[in-house]
mmCIF file of all heavy atoms in Angstrom:
data_model
loop_
_atom_site.group_PDB
_atom_site.id
_atom_site.type_symbol
_atom_site.label_atom_id
_atom_site.label_comp_id
_atom_site.label_asym_id
_atom_site.label_seq_id
_atom_site.Cartn_x
_atom_site.Cartn_y
_atom_site.Cartn_z
ATOM 1 N N LEU E 1186 0.833 -1.168 0.023
ATOM 2 C CA LEU E 1186 0.018 0.005 0.001
ATOM 3 C C LEU E 1186 0.867 1.242 -0.008
ATOM 4 O O LEU E 1186 0.542 2.212 -0.677
ATOM 5 C CB LEU E 1186 -0.919 0.017 1.225
ATOM 6 C CG LEU E 1186 -2.023 -1.053 1.272
ATOM 7 C CD1 LEU E 1186 -2.720 -1.013 2.598
ATOM 8 C CD2 LEU E 1186 -2.999 -0.894 0.091
ATOM 9 N N MET E 1187 1.959 1.222 0.741
ATOM 10 C CA MET E 1187 2.914 2.388 0.749
ATOM 11 C C MET E 1187 3.526 2.607 -0.642
ATOM 12 O O MET E 1187 3.554 3.722 -1.050
ATOM 13 C CB MET E 1187 3.999 2.155 1.798
ATOM 14 C CG MET E 1187 3.570 2.074 3.256
ATOM 15 S SD MET E 1187 4.959 1.821 4.327
ATOM 16 C CE MET E 1187 4.186 1.264 5.814
ATOM 17 N N LEU E 1188 3.879 1.509 -1.299
ATOM 18 C CA LEU E 1188 4.524 1.663 -2.557
ATOM 19 C C LEU E 1188 3.533 2.191 -3.627
ATOM 20 O O LEU E 1188 3.889 2.893 -4.512
ATOM 21 C CB LEU E 1188 5.112 0.264 -2.993
ATOM 22 C CG LEU E 1188 6.200 -0.244 -2.218
ATOM 23 C CD1 LEU E 1188 6.535 -1.695 -2.594
ATOM 24 C CD2 LEU E 1188 7.459 0.666 -2.506
ATOM 25 N N LYS E 1189 2.265 1.834 -3.403
ATOM 26 C CA LYS E 1189 1.240 2.346 -4.455
ATOM 27 C C LYS E 1189 0.672 3.687 -3.942
ATOM 28 O O LYS E 1189 -0.188 4.274 -4.558
ATOM 29 C CB LYS E 1189 0.106 1.329 -4.413
ATOM 30 C CG LYS E 1189 0.445 -0.028 -5.107
ATOM 31 C CD LYS E 1189 -0.765 -0.971 -5.132
ATOM 32 C CE LYS E 1189 -0.379 -2.253 -5.802
ATOM 33 N NZ LYS E 1189 -1.531 -3.243 -5.839
ATOM 34 N N LYS E 1190 1.223 4.202 -2.842
ATOM 35 C CA LYS E 1190 0.866 5.517 -2.283
ATOM 36 C C LYS E 1190 -0.593 5.575 -1.955
ATOM 37 O O LYS E 1190 -1.230 6.682 -2.144
ATOM 38 C CB LYS E 1190 1.312 6.636 -3.232
ATOM 39 C CG LYS E 1190 2.829 6.681 -3.544
ATOM 40 C CD LYS E 1190 3.228 7.809 -4.306
ATOM 41 C CE LYS E 1190 4.769 7.850 -4.501
ATOM 42 N NZ LYS E 1190 5.189 8.977 -5.312
ATOM 43 N N LYS E 1191 -1.152 4.501 -1.482
ATOM 44 C CA LYS E 1191 -2.509 4.447 -0.958
ATOM 45 C C LYS E 1191 -2.486 4.839 0.479
ATOM 46 O O LYS E 1191 -2.619 3.970 1.346
ATOM 47 C CB LYS E 1191 -3.110 3.141 -1.199
ATOM 48 C CG LYS E 1191 -3.312 2.803 -2.714
ATOM 49 C CD LYS E 1191 -3.969 1.451 -2.896
ATOM 50 C CE LYS E 1191 -4.243 1.162 -4.388
ATOM 51 N NZ LYS E 1191 -4.909 -0.103 -4.606
ATOM 52 N N TYR E 1192 -2.306 6.134 0.766
ATOM 53 C CA TYR E 1192 -2.017 6.588 2.151
ATOM 54 C C TYR E 1192 -3.260 6.479 3.043
ATOM 55 O O TYR E 1192 -3.109 6.316 4.196
ATOM 56 C CB TYR E 1192 -1.559 8.013 2.055
ATOM 57 C CG TYR E 1192 -0.324 8.238 1.395
ATOM 58 C CD1 TYR E 1192 -0.135 9.153 0.305
ATOM 59 C CD2 TYR E 1192 0.835 7.465 1.653
ATOM 60 C CE1 TYR E 1192 1.008 9.284 -0.397
ATOM 61 C CE2 TYR E 1192 2.056 7.600 1.027
ATOM 62 C CZ TYR E 1192 2.148 8.526 -0.019
ATOM 63 O OH TYR E 1192 3.303 8.660 -0.754
ATOM 64 N N PHE E 1193 -4.437 6.660 2.472
ATOM 65 C CA PHE E 1193 -5.637 6.608 3.348
ATOM 66 C C PHE E 1193 -5.705 5.324 4.109
ATOM 67 O O PHE E 1193 -5.890 5.331 5.357
ATOM 68 C CB PHE E 1193 -6.963 6.949 2.543
ATOM 69 C CG PHE E 1193 -8.177 6.985 3.353
ATOM 70 C CD1 PHE E 1193 -8.369 8.027 4.230
ATOM 71 C CD2 PHE E 1193 -9.110 5.993 3.336
ATOM 72 C CE1 PHE E 1193 -9.469 8.133 5.066
ATOM 73 C CE2 PHE E 1193 -10.268 6.088 4.076
ATOM 74 C CZ PHE E 1193 -10.464 7.151 4.971
ATOM 75 N N PRO E 1194 -5.766 4.142 3.473
ATOM 76 C CA PRO E 1194 -5.832 2.917 4.199
ATOM 77 C C PRO E 1194 -4.614 2.615 5.092
ATOM 78 O O PRO E 1194 -4.741 2.122 6.239
ATOM 79 C CB PRO E 1194 -5.917 1.802 3.166
ATOM 80 C CG PRO E 1194 -5.420 2.416 1.863
ATOM 81 C CD PRO E 1194 -5.721 3.867 1.982
ATOM 82 N N VAL E 1195 -3.442 3.133 4.734
ATOM 83 C CA VAL E 1195 -2.215 3.033 5.556
ATOM 84 C C VAL E 1195 -2.424 3.765 6.888
ATOM 85 O O VAL E 1195 -2.127 3.279 7.943
ATOM 86 C CB VAL E 1195 -1.010 3.491 4.804
ATOM 87 C CG1 VAL E 1195 0.177 3.536 5.810
ATOM 88 C CG2 VAL E 1195 -0.643 2.625 3.645
ATOM 89 N N VAL E 1196 -2.921 4.990 6.773
ATOM 90 C CA VAL E 1196 -3.092 5.892 7.948
ATOM 91 C C VAL E 1196 -4.153 5.228 8.879
ATOM 92 O O VAL E 1196 -3.985 5.235 10.118
ATOM 93 C CB VAL E 1196 -3.549 7.285 7.494
ATOM 94 C CG1 VAL E 1196 -4.080 8.079 8.739
ATOM 95 C CG2 VAL E 1196 -2.407 8.030 6.848
ATOM 96 N N LEU E 1197 -5.216 4.633 8.309
ATOM 97 C CA LEU E 1197 -6.284 4.044 9.037
ATOM 98 C C LEU E 1197 -5.672 2.807 9.804
ATOM 99 O O LEU E 1197 -6.011 2.634 10.978
ATOM 100 C CB LEU E 1197 -7.417 3.622 8.185
ATOM 101 C CG LEU E 1197 -8.405 4.679 7.621
ATOM 102 C CD1 LEU E 1197 -9.505 4.050 6.811
ATOM 103 C CD2 LEU E 1197 -8.945 5.545 8.732
ATOM 104 N N ILE E 1198 -4.894 2.061 9.092
ATOM 105 C CA ILE E 1198 -4.249 0.867 9.741
ATOM 106 C C ILE E 1198 -3.334 1.265 10.851
ATOM 107 O O ILE E 1198 -3.318 0.694 11.988
ATOM 108 C CB ILE E 1198 -3.557 -0.003 8.709
ATOM 109 C CG1 ILE E 1198 -4.572 -0.686 7.827
ATOM 110 C CG2 ILE E 1198 -2.681 -1.049 9.379
ATOM 111 C CD1 ILE E 1198 -3.981 -1.287 6.546
ATOM 112 N N ILE E 1199 -2.535 2.327 10.676
ATOM 113 C CA ILE E 1199 -1.608 2.790 11.761
ATOM 114 C C ILE E 1199 -2.368 3.265 12.925
ATOM 115 O O ILE E 1199 -2.038 2.992 14.019
ATOM 116 C CB ILE E 1199 -0.722 3.899 11.151
ATOM 117 C CG1 ILE E 1199 0.254 3.416 10.121
ATOM 118 C CG2 ILE E 1199 0.017 4.671 12.304
ATOM 119 C CD1 ILE E 1199 1.083 4.461 9.390
ATOM 120 N N LEU E 1200 -3.474 3.984 12.683
ATOM 121 C CA LEU E 1200 -4.320 4.538 13.796
ATOM 122 C C LEU E 1200 -4.946 3.288 14.526
ATOM 123 O O LEU E 1200 -4.985 3.302 15.800
ATOM 124 C CB LEU E 1200 -5.435 5.401 13.260
ATOM 125 C CG LEU E 1200 -4.933 6.770 12.723
ATOM 126 C CD1 LEU E 1200 -6.080 7.548 12.148
ATOM 127 C CD2 LEU E 1200 -4.247 7.565 13.824
ATOM 128 N N ALA E 1201 -5.384 2.303 13.802
ATOM 129 C CA ALA E 1201 -6.000 1.119 14.470
ATOM 130 C C ALA E 1201 -4.918 0.436 15.305
ATOM 131 O O ALA E 1201 -5.130 -0.019 16.452
ATOM 132 C CB ALA E 1201 -6.556 0.167 13.445
ATOM 133 N N LEU E 1202 -3.744 0.204 14.722
ATOM 134 C CA LEU E 1202 -2.648 -0.459 15.418
ATOM 135 C C LEU E 1202 -2.051 0.327 16.565
ATOM 136 O O LEU E 1202 -1.462 -0.220 17.520
ATOM 137 C CB LEU E 1202 -1.538 -0.856 14.425
ATOM 138 C CG LEU E 1202 -1.919 -1.976 13.448
ATOM 139 C CD1 LEU E 1202 -0.874 -2.141 12.359
ATOM 140 C CD2 LEU E 1202 -2.123 -3.246 14.188
ATOM 141 N N SER E 1203 -2.281 1.646 16.547
ATOM 142 C CA SER E 1203 -1.813 2.453 17.669
ATOM 143 C C SER E 1203 -2.632 2.157 18.922
ATOM 144 O O SER E 1203 -2.203 2.515 20.040
ATOM 145 C CB SER E 1203 -1.842 3.958 17.318
ATOM 146 O OG SER E 1203 -3.235 4.416 17.275
ATOM 147 N N THR E 1204 -3.799 1.549 18.804
ATOM 148 C CA THR E 1204 -4.566 1.144 19.935
ATOM 149 C C THR E 1204 -3.962 -0.103 20.551
ATOM 150 O O THR E 1204 -4.284 -0.479 21.676
ATOM 151 C CB THR E 1204 -6.031 0.958 19.639
ATOM 152 O OG1 THR E 1204 -6.165 -0.285 18.758
ATOM 153 C CG2 THR E 1204 -6.681 2.149 18.998
ATOM 154 N N ILE E 1205 -3.238 -0.852 19.713
ATOM 155 C CA ILE E 1205 -2.460 -1.998 20.220
ATOM 156 C C ILE E 1205 -1.212 -1.511 20.976
ATOM 157 O O ILE E 1205 -0.866 -1.989 22.108
ATOM 158 C CB ILE E 1205 -2.009 -2.931 19.110
ATOM 159 C CG1 ILE E 1205 -3.226 -3.480 18.391
ATOM 160 C CG2 ILE E 1205 -1.219 -4.127 19.592
ATOM 161 C CD1 ILE E 1205 -4.096 -4.400 19.051
ATOM 162 N N HIS E 1206 -0.476 -0.599 20.419
ATOM 163 C CA HIS E 1206 0.730 0.045 21.052
ATOM 164 C C HIS E 1206 0.801 1.474 20.512
ATOM 165 O O HIS E 1206 0.953 1.711 19.302
ATOM 166 C CB HIS E 1206 1.991 -0.740 20.721
ATOM 167 C CG HIS E 1206 3.067 -0.453 21.751
ATOM 168 N ND1 HIS E 1206 3.894 0.587 21.655
ATOM 169 C CD2 HIS E 1206 3.442 -1.145 22.837
ATOM 170 C CE1 HIS E 1206 4.738 0.621 22.663
ATOM 171 N NE2 HIS E 1206 4.550 -0.417 23.416
ATOM 172 N N GLY E 1207 0.732 2.438 21.412
ATOM 173 C CA GLY E 1207 0.749 3.884 21.042
ATOM 174 C C GLY E 1207 1.914 4.309 20.268
ATOM 175 O O GLY E 1207 1.802 5.248 19.438
ATOM 176 N N SER E 1208 3.065 3.647 20.335
ATOM 177 C CA SER E 1208 4.293 4.038 19.580
ATOM 178 C C SER E 1208 4.076 3.987 18.088
ATOM 179 O O SER E 1208 4.853 4.520 17.361
ATOM 180 C CB SER E 1208 5.418 3.239 20.014
ATOM 181 O OG SER E 1208 5.223 1.815 19.723
ATOM 182 N N ALA E 1209 3.058 3.166 17.612
ATOM 183 C CA ALA E 1209 2.807 3.067 16.186
ATOM 184 C C ALA E 1209 2.515 4.407 15.506
ATOM 185 O O ALA E 1209 2.836 4.593 14.282
ATOM 186 C CB ALA E 1209 1.647 2.172 15.931
ATOM 187 N N LEU E 1210 2.181 5.430 16.260
ATOM 188 C CA LEU E 1210 1.842 6.659 15.726
ATOM 189 C C LEU E 1210 3.001 7.382 15.085
ATOM 190 O O LEU E 1210 2.949 8.272 14.255
ATOM 191 C CB LEU E 1210 1.159 7.601 16.776
ATOM 192 C CG LEU E 1210 -0.180 7.249 17.291
ATOM 193 C CD1 LEU E 1210 -0.573 8.101 18.453
ATOM 194 C CD2 LEU E 1210 -1.176 7.341 16.128
ATOM 195 N N ILE E 1211 4.255 6.933 15.511
ATOM 196 C CA ILE E 1211 5.557 7.507 14.918
ATOM 197 C C ILE E 1211 5.614 7.219 13.424
ATOM 198 O O ILE E 1211 6.204 8.048 12.661
ATOM 199 C CB ILE E 1211 6.734 6.874 15.673
ATOM 200 C CG1 ILE E 1211 8.027 7.669 15.220
ATOM 201 C CG2 ILE E 1211 6.918 5.427 15.261
ATOM 202 C CD1 ILE E 1211 8.111 8.987 15.773
ATOM 203 N N MET E 1212 4.866 6.206 12.920
ATOM 204 C CA MET E 1212 4.929 5.895 11.557
ATOM 205 C C MET E 1212 4.053 6.804 10.747
ATOM 206 O O MET E 1212 4.227 6.795 9.429
ATOM 207 C CB MET E 1212 4.471 4.473 11.322
ATOM 208 C CG MET E 1212 5.589 3.487 11.778
ATOM 209 S SD MET E 1212 7.180 3.702 11.006
ATOM 210 C CE MET E 1212 6.830 3.136 9.334
ATOM 211 N N LEU E 1213 3.208 7.609 11.260
ATOM 212 C CA LEU E 1213 2.417 8.568 10.474
ATOM 213 C C LEU E 1213 3.238 9.545 9.709
ATOM 214 O O LEU E 1213 3.121 9.694 8.475
ATOM 215 C CB LEU E 1213 1.399 9.293 11.409
ATOM 216 C CG LEU E 1213 0.187 8.502 11.869
ATOM 217 C CD1 LEU E 1213 -0.618 9.281 12.863
ATOM 218 C CD2 LEU E 1213 -0.648 7.977 10.714
ATOM 219 N N PRO E 1214 4.229 10.217 10.329
ATOM 220 C CA PRO E 1214 5.134 10.991 9.503
ATOM 221 C C PRO E 1214 6.143 10.268 8.725
ATOM 222 O O PRO E 1214 6.500 10.631 7.673
ATOM 223 C CB PRO E 1214 5.804 11.943 10.602
ATOM 224 C CG PRO E 1214 5.684 11.168 11.840
ATOM 225 C CD PRO E 1214 4.464 10.447 11.787
ATOM 226 N N ILE E 1215 6.636 9.120 9.326
ATOM 227 C CA ILE E 1215 7.749 8.381 8.648
ATOM 228 C C ILE E 1215 7.313 7.810 7.326
ATOM 229 O O ILE E 1215 8.117 7.759 6.429
ATOM 230 C CB ILE E 1215 8.236 7.235 9.604
ATOM 231 C CG1 ILE E 1215 8.857 7.816 10.862
ATOM 232 C CG2 ILE E 1215 9.238 6.338 8.936
ATOM 233 C CD1 ILE E 1215 9.983 8.719 10.670
ATOM 234 N N VAL E 1216 6.108 7.409 7.215
ATOM 235 C CA VAL E 1216 5.570 6.833 5.958
ATOM 236 C C VAL E 1216 5.735 7.853 4.807
ATOM 237 O O VAL E 1216 6.110 7.458 3.713
ATOM 238 C CB VAL E 1216 4.072 6.509 6.068
ATOM 239 C CG1 VAL E 1216 3.413 6.288 4.742
ATOM 240 C CG2 VAL E 1216 3.900 5.165 6.900
ATOM 241 N N PHE E 1217 5.601 9.124 5.155
ATOM 242 C CA PHE E 1217 5.737 10.145 4.112
ATOM 243 C C PHE E 1217 7.209 10.563 3.940
ATOM 244 O O PHE E 1217 7.623 10.825 2.813
ATOM 245 C CB PHE E 1217 4.868 11.411 4.457
ATOM 246 C CG PHE E 1217 3.451 11.039 4.556
ATOM 247 C CD1 PHE E 1217 2.715 10.781 5.741
ATOM 248 C CD2 PHE E 1217 2.696 11.014 3.367
ATOM 249 C CE1 PHE E 1217 1.409 10.534 5.764
ATOM 250 C CE2 PHE E 1217 1.302 10.717 3.415
ATOM 251 C CZ PHE E 1217 0.625 10.446 4.605
ATOM 252 N N VAL E 1218 7.950 10.550 5.033
ATOM 253 C CA VAL E 1218 9.365 10.892 4.941
ATOM 254 C C VAL E 1218 10.127 9.889 4.093
ATOM 255 O O VAL E 1218 11.041 10.258 3.321
ATOM 256 C CB VAL E 1218 10.000 10.914 6.378
ATOM 257 C CG1 VAL E 1218 11.509 11.012 6.245
ATOM 258 C CG2 VAL E 1218 9.433 12.125 7.153
ATOM 259 N N ALA E 1219 9.756 8.605 4.197
ATOM 260 C CA ALA E 1219 10.486 7.530 3.475
ATOM 261 C C ALA E 1219 10.071 7.448 2.009
ATOM 262 O O ALA E 1219 10.734 6.676 1.263
ATOM 263 C CB ALA E 1219 10.178 6.195 4.156
ATOM 264 N N GLN E 1220 9.067 8.152 1.578
ATOM 265 C CA GLN E 1220 8.706 8.071 0.201
ATOM 266 C C GLN E 1220 9.644 8.888 -0.686
ATOM 267 O O GLN E 1220 10.247 9.861 -0.220
ATOM 268 C CB GLN E 1220 7.299 8.618 -0.033
ATOM 269 C CG GLN E 1220 6.204 7.754 0.480
ATOM 270 C CD GLN E 1220 5.934 6.474 -0.342
ATOM 271 O OE1 GLN E 1220 6.473 6.345 -1.407
ATOM 272 N NE2 GLN E 1220 5.142 5.562 0.169
ATOM 273 N N GLY E 1221 9.794 8.474 -1.948
ATOM 274 C CA GLY E 1221 10.705 9.216 -2.814
ATOM 275 C C GLY E 1221 12.014 8.474 -2.966
ATOM 276 O O GLY E 1221 12.189 7.383 -2.523
ATOM 277 N N LYS E 1222 12.972 9.146 -3.622
ATOM 278 C CA LYS E 1222 14.263 8.473 -3.884
ATOM 279 C C LYS E 1222 15.098 8.340 -2.574
ATOM 280 O O LYS E 1222 14.846 8.992 -1.670
ATOM 281 C CB LYS E 1222 15.044 9.327 -4.899
ATOM 282 C CG LYS E 1222 14.592 9.297 -6.327
ATOM 283 C CD LYS E 1222 15.485 9.847 -7.334
ATOM 284 C CE LYS E 1222 15.107 9.598 -8.758
ATOM 285 N NZ LYS E 1222 16.095 10.043 -9.697
ATOM 286 N N ALA E 1223 15.973 7.391 -2.615
ATOM 287 C CA ALA E 1223 16.835 7.132 -1.374
ATOM 288 C C ALA E 1223 17.708 8.390 -1.159
ATOM 289 O O ALA E 1223 18.137 9.055 -2.017
ATOM 290 C CB ALA E 1223 17.746 5.984 -1.715
ATOM 291 N N TRP E 1224 17.836 8.678 0.130
ATOM 292 C CA TRP E 1224 18.502 9.861 0.565
ATOM 293 C C TRP E 1224 17.946 11.135 0.015
ATOM 294 O O TRP E 1224 18.677 12.133 -0.322
ATOM 295 C CB TRP E 1224 20.044 9.775 0.220
ATOM 296 C CG TRP E 1224 20.775 8.679 0.980
ATOM 297 C CD1 TRP E 1224 20.966 7.386 0.573
ATOM 298 C CD2 TRP E 1224 21.371 8.813 2.310
ATOM 299 N NE1 TRP E 1224 21.687 6.719 1.568
ATOM 300 C CE2 TRP E 1224 21.917 7.565 2.584
ATOM 301 C CE3 TRP E 1224 21.423 9.847 3.194
ATOM 302 C CZ2 TRP E 1224 22.544 7.338 3.818
ATOM 303 C CZ3 TRP E 1224 22.162 9.617 4.395
ATOM 304 C CH2 TRP E 1224 22.652 8.418 4.677
ATOM 305 N N ASN E 1225 16.609 11.195 -0.056
ATOM 306 C CA ASN E 1225 16.019 12.485 -0.537
ATOM 307 C C ASN E 1225 16.076 13.542 0.584
ATOM 308 O O ASN E 1225 16.517 13.312 1.662
ATOM 309 C CB ASN E 1225 14.574 12.256 -0.979
ATOM 310 C CG ASN E 1225 13.688 11.648 0.171
ATOM 311 O OD1 ASN E 1225 13.571 12.248 1.180
ATOM 312 N ND2 ASN E 1225 13.087 10.509 -0.119
ATOM 313 N N LYS E 1226 15.601 14.764 0.239
ATOM 314 C CA LYS E 1226 15.695 15.903 1.184
ATOM 315 C C LYS E 1226 14.990 15.628 2.544
ATOM 316 O O LYS E 1226 15.468 16.018 3.580
ATOM 317 C CB LYS E 1226 15.178 17.157 0.457
ATOM 318 C CG LYS E 1226 15.997 17.669 -0.663
ATOM 319 C CD LYS E 1226 15.453 18.906 -1.237
ATOM 320 C CE LYS E 1226 16.332 19.444 -2.407
ATOM 321 N NZ LYS E 1226 15.791 20.640 -3.068
ATOM 322 N N LYS E 1227 13.792 14.993 2.357
ATOM 323 C CA LYS E 1227 13.019 14.748 3.602
ATOM 324 C C LYS E 1227 13.782 13.868 4.574
ATOM 325 O O LYS E 1227 13.802 14.090 5.807
ATOM 326 C CB LYS E 1227 11.669 14.110 3.258
ATOM 327 C CG LYS E 1227 10.758 14.957 2.472
ATOM 328 C CD LYS E 1227 9.450 14.210 2.048
ATOM 329 C CE LYS E 1227 9.857 13.069 1.058
ATOM 330 N NZ LYS E 1227 8.651 12.317 0.583
ATOM 331 N N THR E 1228 14.391 12.833 3.971
ATOM 332 C CA THR E 1228 15.187 11.809 4.836
ATOM 333 C C THR E 1228 16.352 12.502 5.412
ATOM 334 O O THR E 1228 16.679 12.312 6.608
ATOM 335 C CB THR E 1228 15.623 10.614 3.954
ATOM 336 O OG1 THR E 1228 14.523 10.095 3.219
ATOM 337 C CG2 THR E 1228 16.171 9.504 4.826
ATOM 338 N N VAL E 1229 17.030 13.333 4.635
ATOM 339 C CA VAL E 1229 18.246 14.030 5.087
ATOM 340 C C VAL E 1229 17.888 15.010 6.177
ATOM 341 O O VAL E 1229 18.619 15.120 7.172
ATOM 342 C CB VAL E 1229 18.953 14.762 3.882
ATOM 343 C CG1 VAL E 1229 20.118 15.616 4.508
ATOM 344 C CG2 VAL E 1229 19.548 13.708 2.958
ATOM 345 N N LEU E 1230 16.786 15.693 6.041
ATOM 346 C CA LEU E 1230 16.305 16.630 7.045
ATOM 347 C C LEU E 1230 15.973 15.920 8.386
ATOM 348 O O LEU E 1230 16.334 16.426 9.487
ATOM 349 C CB LEU E 1230 15.036 17.408 6.607
ATOM 350 C CG LEU E 1230 15.337 18.547 5.581
ATOM 351 C CD1 LEU E 1230 14.011 19.110 5.070
ATOM 352 C CD2 LEU E 1230 16.189 19.640 6.208
#
């Protein structure tokens, strides 16, 4: 889903899994930071 950039279901799944363990919320920004070419500006920042 991440590779296909289907972010809506990914976000919903992360939110659901955050009820299992709250730390899952860290992946909400990381999913977007990791998109794009390797060592892109978002990752470097």
Side-chain angles (χ1 to χ4, degrees):
L1186 292 174
M1187 295 180 200
L1188 291 169
K1189 292 180 178 179
K1190 298 184 179 180
K1191 295 184 177 181
Y1192 298 126
F1193 184 69
V1195 172
V1196 169
L1197 287 181
I1198 291 169
I1199 291 173
L1200 291 175
L1202 289 171
S1203 71
T1204 67
I1205 302 289
H1206 200 278
S1208 63
L1210 292 174
I1211 191 68
M1212 288 303 289
L1213 287 175
I1215 296 298
V1216 163
F1217 298 98
V1218 168
Q1220 289 288 351
K1222 289 192 173 185
W1224 290 94
N1225 60 54
K1226 291 180 181 179
K1227 294 175 294 182
T1228 311
V1229 172
L1230 284 174

